[in-house]
Amino acid sequence: MSSHHSPIVLSSEITPRSMFEGRRAFLRDAGFALALAGVGGAALRPGDAHAKAFEGARKSPFSVNEPATPFKDVTTYNNFYEFGTGKDDPAERAHTLKPRPWTLSVEGECAKPKRWDLDELLKLAAVEERIYRMRCVEGWSMVIPWNGYPLAELLKRAEPNARAKYVEFTTLADPAQMPGIRTAVLDWPYVEGLRIDEAMHPLTLLTLGLYGDLLPNQNGAPVRVVVPWKYGFKSAKSIVRIRFTEQEPRTAWNKAIPREYGFYSNVNPAVDHPRWSQARERRIGEFGKRATLPFNGYGEQVAGLYTGMDLRKFF
Ligand code: MTE
């Protein structure tokens, strides 16, 4: 892990990296589709390995004004247990994940269930750049320039019905692509969930890229959720299914260790993890520690979702 200070890096200044075998070919293939789709006015040219999918993405007013964590750290210090439990396992092993073709089905308590393919998702709404503060439950944090659009854009098209109180997210679980799922560290597939008002909140991002390009496999290609006011494990990677449910979804970490990982898992410096304090965090690339903010600093936007709730009980 690096310990250098990191200036804000504009997506136009980043040197793209072809990180894995096959990424070049993948980008070339994706390039045709994206160029045809005209994604975000992207200047992706077929055959150009240095073109980036979301080059011209609109900068969101929801972005934080803090230095972004370097691309190298964002893409080499990861949690993605489907590829192993070490922080460097995902970057080393996720090349076996095939992010295309990919379908994401939206189903459950709704009038219009649908299976979306990746090109449809890329075209569905304008892809923005959202620079979010991310806080892992383990005590480290990053600032990541994501590319995506509000999950609500996708959800509302399904026309959820009155029984749709929660939204469940399911990650791919294919042992042929994901070596880590031969180990029973979690009850696969990885499942996460949100209350429907949390899922519909404008900060909740359907995420297709980072740093101006398509998501690297280790960050949850080709499509994941990002919920910046909750601990990172709520932001499920490489999702294949979104389901509207009436009951609170049984989530992977909650099933594994219920007294440590609650359904809500809002970032809360006042509520300790049973085995460690959550009051402070180590921002990757910085020396020392900084104070963790309630709701990871997004309280102004989201605290109202929890009015009247005891956040110690609903941790
Ligand atoms: N999603 C899946 N499917 N599997 C995982 O192991 N880890 C979570 C979350 N989403 C995880 C996952 C955790 S603990 C964190 S902190 C974030 O992904 C890390 O996301 P990043 O590697 O893109 O920073």
Side-chain angles (χ1 to χ4, degrees), residues 73-75 77-84 90 134-138 140 142 144 146 170-172 178 186 188 190-192 210 215 218-220 224-225 231-239 253:
D73 295 328
V74 172
T75 55
Y77 190 85
N78 302 101
N79 274 334
F80 199 168
Y81 277 21
E82 286 84 341
F83 297 98
M134 305 297 294
R135 170 65 154 80
C136 183
V137 75
E138 296 166 327
W140 48 272
M142 297 193 189
I144 304 183
W146 300 110
T170 304
T171 295
L172 178 73
M178 300 169 142
L186 287 171
W188 311 111
Y190 194 96
V191 171
E192 256 312 328
L210 61 79
L215 279 175
Q218 61 268 42
N219 294 94
R224 70 176 297 177
V225 180
Y231 292 115
F233 71 88
K234 297 296 291 182
S235 297
K237 295 177 164 181
S238 304
I239 56 172
W253 276 108

Side-chain angles (χ1 to χ4, degrees), residues 7-253:
I8 290 185
V9 183
L10 299 174
S11 53
S12 57
E13 296 170 348
I14 302 151
T15 311
R17 296 144 172 93
S18 293
M19 291 185 301
F20 301 116
E21 287 300 318
R23 174 125 171 109
R24 233 168 249 271
F26 167 66
L27 273 177
R28 194 159 54 236
D29 297 343
F32 286 107
L34 290 165
L36 287 173
V39 172
L44 190 63
R45 292 169 297 278
D48 181 355
H50 294 279
K52 292 194 275 139
F54 309 117
E55 191 87 67
R58 186 172 68 120
K59 298 198 183 318
S60 165
F62 290 112
S63 288
V64 295
N65 188 19
E66 287 174 27
T69 303
F71 179 89
K72 182 119 199 294
D73 295 328
V74 172
T75 55
T76 56
Y77 190 85
N78 302 101
N79 274 334
F80 199 168
Y81 277 21
E82 286 84 341
F83 297 98
T85 55
K87 295 287 176 274
D88 43 13
D89 286 339
E92 278 168 19
R93 300 165 84 188
H95 57 92
T96 51
L97 176 70
K98 290 196 283 291
R100 190 178 277 264
W102 194 271
T103 52
L104 171 59
S105 73
V106 181
E107 56 192 69
E109 296 290 354
C110 63
K112 295 197 167 147
K114 176 176 159 66
R115 287 170 65 98
W116 296 82
D117 74 30
L118 188 55
D119 291 317
E120 291 176 307
L121 291 174
L122 285 162
K123 280 186 285 191
L124 176 69
V127 172
E128 303 175 2
E129 180 194 73
R130 291 271 186 106
I131 306 172
Y132 279 165
R133 213 181 279 123
M134 305 297 294
R135 170 65 154 80
C136 183
V137 75
E138 296 166 327
W140 48 272
S141 65
M142 297 193 189
V143 174
I144 304 183
W146 300 110
N147 295 103
Y149 49 77
L151 177 64
E153 293 285 348
L154 175 64
L155 298 186
K156 70 189 185 192
R157 281 165 173 84
E159 298 177 15
N161 63 37
R163 287 180 300 276
K165 307 240 165 58
Y166 296 90
V167 181
E168 177 195 78
F169 306 93
T170 304
T171 295
L172 178 73
D174 178 3
Q177 298 180 59
M178 300 169 142
I181 72 173
R182 283 177 218 123
T183 315
V185 276
L186 287 171
D187 182 10
W188 311 111
Y190 194 96
V191 171
E192 256 312 328
L194 296 170
R195 220 170 51 195
I196 192 153
D197 56 343
E198 299 176 321
M200 290 287 192
H201 191 281
L203 282 176
T204 303
L205 203 67
L206 189 79
T207 304
L208 298 155
L210 61 79
Y211 263 112
D213 210 346
L214 298 166
L215 279 175
N217 288 354
Q218 61 268 42
N219 294 94
V223 59
R224 70 176 297 177
V225 180
V226 171
V227 194
W229 72 94
K230 293 178 179 280
Y231 292 115
F233 71 88
K234 297 296 291 182
S235 297
K237 295 177 164 181
S238 304
I239 56 172
V240 292
R241 188 171 71 158
I242 294 178
R243 199 160 63 94
F244 296 100
T245 65
E246 187 162 23
Q247 307 300 327
E248 187 180 285
R250 302 243 22 230
T251 60
W253 276 108

